[in-house]
Amino acid sequence: MRDKENTPWRGLAADVLLVSGGVLCAVGAGLIYLPAGLLAAGVLCILGGWLAAKGGEKP
């Protein structure tokens, strides 16, 4: 059975999916109403920073 730590692309793929999902949500909200898109982008930046800060810990 393969160990999860032997696949270095797994962490990068998760980061790419999180960032692209956040960008798409903010752009979609901005297409409907620009201030809503800016608020969504701000919230997603805050959550992204929080996740980045928590990412270095190992259980």
Side-chain angles (χ1 to χ4, degrees), residues 24-38 40:
L24 288 173
C25 286
V27 168
L31 287 174
I32 294 171
Y33 186 60
L34 183 59
L38 294 175

Side-chain angles (χ1 to χ4, degrees), residues 8-36:
W9 56 268
R10 189 179 299 258
L12 179 64
D15 290 343
V16 168
L17 286 172
L18 283 170
V19 169
S20 62
V23 167
L24 288 173
C25 286
V27 168
L31 287 174
I32 294 171
Y33 186 60
L34 183 59

Side-chain angles (χ1 to χ4, degrees), residues 26-55:
V27 168
L31 287 174
I32 294 171
Y33 186 60
L34 183 59
L38 294 175
L39 286 170
V43 168
L44 292 169
C45 284
I46 291 170
L47 290 175
W50 179 70
L51 285 174
K54 297 288 284 180

